[in-house]
Amino acid sequence: MALHQLRNIGIAAHIDAGKTTLTERVLFLAGVKRKMGEVHDGQATMDFMKQEQERGITIASAAISCKWRNSQINIIDTPGHVDFTIEVERSLRVIDGMVAVFCAVSGVEPQSETVWTQADKYHVPRIAFVNKMDRTGADYEQAIKMMNEYLDAKALPFQLPIGVEDDFEGLIDVIEQKAYKFVEFERVEMEIPDEYKESASKAREAIIDAVAEYDEELMEMYFDEQEIPADMLRRVARTAALKLMITPVFCGAAYKNKGVQLLLDAVEDYLPSPLDVGAVVASDVDDNEKTHTRNPSTKDPFAALAFKLIHDPYVGQQTFIRIYSGKLESGMQVLNVSEGKPERIGRIMKIRAKEREEVTEAGPGDIVALIGMKHTKTGHSLVDPKNPVVLESIAAPPSVIEMSIIPNSRKDSGKLGEALASLSNEDPSFTTRYDEQTDETVIAGMGELHLEIMVDRIKHEFGVDATVGEPKVAYRETITEEVQREYRHVKQTGGKGQFAQAAIRLEPNSGKGYEFTNHIKGGAIPAEFIPSVDKGIRKTLAKGVLAGFPIEDVKVVLYDGKYHPVDSSDQAFQTCGSIVFKEAFMKAHPVLLEPVMQVEINTPDEYLGEIVGGLNKKRAKVESMRRFRKGSQKIVALVPLVNMFGYATQLRNVSSGRASYSMDFHQYMPLPPSIQEDVLKKLEEEKKAEAK
C-alpha cells in the first residue's frame, strides 16, 4: 500500500470515555473481527491482558491494523488512567494523528487535558469524537464549548447530532450537507430534517470562515458568495487540521454502533499520512547541536525508534518500533546508537493485539514488533550503521510511590529478579532498587493502581510467590547550599595499598538532575581515574545519604586531587569519590523532596466549601476554581502525595459519591523543616523495629 494511504493513529482520552469500545467497533466494521468484544465482559480485543479484563480498563497500549476505504489504519489504543500516562506518552511519540474521545455527558475531564497537552508537545494533528450521545445528560454543544475553553482546541463541529439522549438517531455531515441514520450496522442516507437545516447551514459557514485563509481559490469563492464544493472544502479543512489550526469534531454512540463508519471516513480525510508529516529531524551522534533529516522513503538510510517492550510468554520479548525511513529486512544488522551496540534483526511481526503475523520486511511508516532484540529498550534509536543518527527519545515520568517486595523462598528470589528486570524494561516509569539497610527490594511506580497491577503480574505472569509492604511515598534527597570538601583515602593491608585524594565543589542543580564536571588541571588526577570518581558518586546517588532515598539535582565539580603511581586504582578513586560526596552532601544543608500532585476535583456546588476546607488541611495550594458545568465546579490544587492516600473514600463520603477527582504528578518540592524532622524520625524508628 502506498505511503499516502497509511494512517498511524492513536485513540486517547480520559478513563471511561469509551476508547476501547470505539476501537472494537472499528475493528468489526473494518472486517478485522467477526464478533465485537465488550469491555464490560472482558472480551475486548485490545484489552487482552488478564489485569485489563478483570478491571475493565486499558493498561497497556495495544497496536492493531485494519483497512478502510482506500487506507490502511494502524491504531494504537491507549490507557486513560493517569497511572499509565507513560503508555500515552510513548504512543504519541510515534503516531502521526490522534482521535481524542470525549464523553458527551462529562465533556473535557482532567485526563483529557493531560492527553491534549501531551499531543501538543509532539505537534500531533487530531480530530475529536464526542461519544455516548445516547446517554442521559449528553450535550454536544457544551462538549465543544469546553474543548475551546479549556483546551484552546479551535474545535468546529463537522457533524451535528439528530436527536439526543434516548432520541439520538442519526447525524448530519456538515460539509456534504447530508444526513444519516443507523440501522443495525448500516448507515442509511436520509434527508436533513427541516428543523436542522438552518443549524447545518450555519455550521458549514463556520467551517468555511475558519479555513478560507488557507486557500486563495476558496477565499475568492467565499467573498464572491459562490457555492463551495464539498471536495474543495474537505481538502482545505484537511490542510488546516494538519497545521493544528482547527480540530474537526464528530459525534456518535460507539456502543450502539452509531457514527463509527463516518469517524473512520474522517480518519482518512483529516488525519495525516507519513508523507504529510514529512521528514523526521534527528541529532548528530557526535554533536547534539547538529541535525539530520530522515524522509519517509526507502531511499533514505534506515532509522527507527523503539517505543515499547512487551514480555510475551510464547515468543519472549517483543520490541515495538516505528520505522521513519529506509527498509528493514529479516537478517539485516542495524546499530542501536543509544547503546552503541549492533543488533541483528530476527523475526519481524505485524501485531493484531495478541495475534501476530510474521513478515520478511517493513518500510517507512510501519509499526512492527521485533523478536530477539538483545540491547534495545524504550526510547532507543535503531539506525543504519553507516549513517548513524539519534532520534528524539521518550521521557519517562518519575516514580512517586513505592513499596517493598520480599520473595517467600530462595527459589522465588531468582524468579523475582527476572520478573523485575523484564517489567522495568517494559515500563520505564516502573523502577526497582535494593535497600541494604532493610535488606528489601523496593519497587516504585506512578500510583497505587500502577503498583497493584505490577505486583499482580509478578505473582501470576511470572509465578513469583512474594509478600509486599504498604505503599509509601517515594521521597528524594537534594541540597540547598554550595560547599567544598576534600578527602584522602588511604588503606594499607599488606601488599599493594589504596590511595586516592579528591577535592570537589557540590552545588544545587535545581531541575537539571545530576551533573559531573571535571576541572582537574596539570594531571593532579590522571585522566583514567576521573570517570572512577564519577562512578563512585553515581553509586551513592542511588542509595542516598540523608535517609536512603535517591539523590537528584546536584552538580559536582572535581577541581583537585592527588594520586600514587602504585597504590592508586579505579576502586580507590571510586571509594574516595563516594566518601567525599557523602561528606559534602551532609554539609550542604540536605533536604528531603516530596512528590506534589496536581489534583483536579469536579464537584457539585453544595460540597465546594467542605472539599476546599479538607484540602487546606492537607497542605494543599488551591490554584484555581472555575465553573465546570451548570451547578458544578472544578478545583485545581497542588497537594503533597503523602496526604492523598485514601482520598477517594474521603471525597466519596463528603460528597455522597457525587464528586470525582484525578491527580497527576506535578513536581518534587522540599518538605517543610518540621515535617522533614518527623519523617526522618519515623524512618529511624521503622529501621530500628525491622532490625529487631
Side-chain angles (χ1 to χ4, degrees):
M1 186 166 282
L3 263 180
H4 73 273
Q5 296 172 298
L6 182 61
R7 300 289 183 273
N8 286 318
I9 68 164
I11 300 180
H14 186 88
I15 192 168
D16 204 30
K19 301 178 307 299
T20 301
T21 300
L22 173 62
T23 308
E24 289 298 313
R25 300 306 185 266
V26 166
L27 300 181
F28 178 79
L29 292 167
V32 174
K33 297 181 61 189
R34 294 183 179 178
K35 178 187 172 194
M36 288 181 295
E38 304 294 358
V39 176
H40 57 77
D41 61 15
Q43 297 301 309
T45 305
M46 303 299 270
D47 288 350
F48 56 86
M49 287 170 61
K50 168 182 169 289
Q51 293 79 8
E52 294 176 312
Q53 292 166 355
E54 288 174 350
R55 290 166 177 81
I57 61 170
T58 302
I59 294 166
S61 55
I64 197 161
S65 295
C66 66
K67 290 181 180 176
W68 185 255
R69 290 199 320 197
N70 301 312
S71 297
Q72 178 183 319
I73 303 173
N74 294 330
I75 303 168
I76 296 181
D77 180 37
T78 61
H81 197 287
V82 70
D83 280 15
F84 308 102
T85 191
I86 180 66
E87 292 289 341
V88 184
E89 182 84 16
R90 57 186 171 189
S91 298
L92 286 171
R93 171 65 184 84
V94 297
I95 60 177
D96 298 327
M98 183 176 92
V99 178
V101 184
F102 298 88
C103 172
V105 180
S106 305
V108 175
E109 298 177 272
Q111 190 63 8
S112 312
E113 296 189 51
T114 303
V115 168
W116 201 269
T117 303
Q118 288 173 304
D120 282 341
K121 175 182 173 183
Y122 293 115
H123 307 291
V124 178
R126 68 214 76 157
I127 60 176
F129 181 69
V130 179
N131 194 22
K132 304 188 180 183
M133 286 298 302
D134 58 331
R135 287 266 300 272
T136 302
D139 191 331
Y140 185 54
E141 288 183 13
Q142 175 67 10
I144 293 173
K145 183 181 176 184
M146 291 172 75
M147 284 182 224
N148 288 325
E149 188 175 338
Y150 301 147
L151 306 177
D152 191 24
K154 305 178 189 70
L156 290 167
F158 275 49
Q159 287 176 350
L160 296 178
I162 300 173
V164 71
E165 299 179 348
D166 289 340
D167 297 325
F168 175 62
E169 60 171 319
L171 298 165
I172 297 168
D173 182 328
V174 171
I175 285 185
E176 293 279 357
Q177 292 287 289
K178 291 179 180 177
Y180 299 91
K181 64 180 179 180
F182 300 90
V183 181
E184 292 292 326
F185 301 107
E186 297 298 318
R187 54 176 162 177
V188 179
E189 189 176 331
M190 61 186 227
E191 280 290 313
I192 297 177
D194 290 341
E195 65 267 32
Y196 288 96
K197 285 181 178 176
E198 185 180 348
S199 56
S201 178
K202 284 183 178 178
R204 195 175 199 268
E205 284 293 314
I207 294 173
I208 295 169
D209 191 45
V211 305
E213 63 183 283
Y214 301 104
D215 187 271
E216 286 185 17
E217 186 183 355
L218 189 148
M219 186 179 284
E220 285 178 17
M221 292 177 72
Y222 178 47
F223 285 137
D224 292 342
E225 297 184 356
Q226 295 180 41
E227 179 63 29
I228 310 290
D231 286 349
M232 173 186 279
L233 183 52
R234 193 181 298 109
R235 173 178 56 78
V236 178
R238 172 184 173 80
T239 301
L242 297 188
K243 291 180 177 179
L244 275 64
M245 300 313 295
I246 62 167
T247 302
V249 184
F250 304 86
C251 63
Y255 185 62
K256 297 282 181 67
N257 311 307
K258 294 180 178 180
V260 180
Q261 298 102 321
L262 295 172
L263 180 67
L264 278 168
D265 290 350
V267 166
E268 182 178 89
D269 290 340
Y270 301 108
L271 290 182
S273 73
L275 289 175
D276 294 315
V277 175
V280 65
V281 178
S283 301
D284 190 84
V285 175
D286 302 314
D287 182 0
N288 279 337
E289 301 298 315
K290 191 176 175 184
T291 60
H292 303 271
T293 56
R294 290 290 181 266
N295 292 291
S297 164
T298 53
K299 295 178 181 177
D300 270 31
F302 175 74
L305 183 76
F307 70 96
K308 182 177 176 63
L309 276 69
I310 288 181
H311 173 78
D312 187 298
Y314 301 105
V315 298
Q317 183 175 284
Q318 295 182 40
T319 305
F320 282 77
I321 67 167
R322 159 71 195 262
I323 302 173
Y324 288 96
S325 63
K327 184 190 281 189
L328 184 70
E329 296 177 317
S330 297
M332 74 183 277
Q333 193 167 82
V334 298
L335 174 67
N336 178 335
V337 75
S338 307
E339 290 286 301
K341 294 178 179 177
E343 287 270 29
R344 187 179 177 279
I345 302 301
R347 298 166 70 194
I348 305 171
M349 316 293 279
K350 287 204 170 175
I351 304 297
R352 295 193 170 191
K354 63 182 176 181
E355 297 173 5
R356 298 174 291 269
E357 175 195 347
E358 188 162 354
V359 295
T360 57
E361 63 179 43
D366 284 338
I367 293 175
V368 295
L370 306 179
I371 310 296
M373 305 300 278
K374 293 180 179 177
H375 311 293
T376 304
K377 295 182 181 178
T378 296
H380 285 184
S381 300
L382 298 174
V383 298
D384 178 354
K386 295 177 182 176
N387 297 277
V389 292
V390 182
L391 297 168
E392 181 187 353
S393 191
I394 299 166
S399 48
V400 296
I401 190 168
E402 60 185 31
M403 62 170 60
S404 61
I405 182 164
I406 305 167
N408 292 337
S409 68
R410 184 169 291 182
K411 180 185 77 174
D412 285 310
S413 184
K415 287 161 69 178
L416 176 63
E418 290 175 15
L420 295 179
S422 179
L423 291 174
S424 57
N425 268 347
E426 275 186 33
D427 184 349
S429 65
F430 175 71
T431 60
T432 66
R433 64 181 176 87
Y434 181 68
D435 190 326
E436 291 180 346
Q437 292 177 309
T438 60
D439 195 30
E440 292 175 337
T441 298
V442 177
I443 59 175
M446 293 296 295
E448 291 178 84
L449 179 62
H450 189 197
L451 290 188
E452 181 190 321
I453 298 293
M454 288 303 192
V455 168
D456 198 47
R457 291 187 65 190
I458 288 166
K459 290 181 176 180
H460 295 103
E461 198 173 307
F462 294 90
V464 178
D465 188 17
T467 303
V468 296
E470 289 296 312
K472 297 177 181 177
V473 170
Y475 292 105
R476 297 285 188 269
E477 300 178 13
T478 194
I479 57 168
T480 56
E481 295 177 4
E482 181 180 312
V483 297
Q484 290 186 328
R485 194 76 180 173
E486 188 168 12
Y487 176 74
R488 176 186 290 227
H489 175 65
V490 182
K491 196 171 183 182
Q492 198 68 46
T493 53
K496 187 180 178 183
Q498 289 187 30
F499 180 90
Q501 186 171 325
I504 66 167
R505 185 169 67 252
L506 186 59
E507 305 171 5
N509 200 32
S510 181
K512 297 179 181 176
Y514 168 68
E515 283 184 47
F516 178 83
T517 306
N518 173 27
H519 281 183
I520 292 291
K521 291 184 174 64
I525 299 176
E528 64 265 27
F529 294 138
I530 303 295
S532 306
V533 178
D534 182 28
K535 194 173 179 182
I537 294 170
R538 285 181 184 272
K539 287 181 180 177
T540 309
L541 293 176
K543 297 174 183 176
V545 177
L546 182 63
F549 296 107
I551 294 168
E552 59 183 42
D553 293 348
V554 294
K555 181 178 181 180
V556 175
V557 180
L558 177 65
Y559 65 87
D560 201 5
K562 290 182 180 177
Y563 76 103
H564 188 279
V566 176
D567 292 344
S568 287
S569 64
D570 168 57
Q571 188 56 53
F573 272 100
Q574 277 195 49
T575 304
C576 181
S578 176
I579 294 172
V580 72
F581 177 80
K582 287 177 183 176
E583 290 185 354
F585 189 87
M586 292 306 293
K587 293 284 184 184
H589 200 271
V591 293
L592 286 181
L593 300 172
E594 65 175 342
V596 174
M597 314 302 285
Q598 180 170 291
V599 180
E600 298 192 2
I601 303 166
N602 298 333
T603 176
D605 289 342
E606 59 260 43
Y607 306 113
L608 184 65
E610 198 170 349
I611 288 172
V612 171
L615 288 173
N616 289 335
K617 292 175 184 176
K618 295 179 179 295
R619 293 193 284 127
K621 179 186 175 186
V622 176
E623 298 265 278
S624 67
M625 285 185 282
R626 69 190 187 207
R627 178 72 54 198
F628 180 54
R629 282 191 300 271
K630 187 178 180 181
S632 66
Q633 298 273 347
K634 172 180 281 194
I635 306 164
V636 179
L638 301 180
V639 192
L641 175 62
V642 70
N643 294 326
M644 289 301 295
F645 288 107
Y647 188 63
T649 303
Q650 295 169 27
L651 187 63
R652 192 161 52 243
N653 292 341
V654 166
S655 67
S656 303
R658 293 176 64 199
S660 63
Y661 85 101
S662 75
M663 65 178 182
D664 197 5
F665 174 72
H666 177 62
Q667 69 180 85
Y668 271 94
M669 299 176 74
L671 269 173
S674 59
I675 295 175
Q676 175 169 310
E677 203 173 302
D678 292 342
V679 169
L680 291 174
K681 189 176 178 182
K682 188 179 176 183
L683 288 168
E684 193 61 38
E685 288 170 357
E686 286 176 359
K687 284 173 183 174
K688 284 179 181 176
E690 286 164 356
K692 290 177 182 178

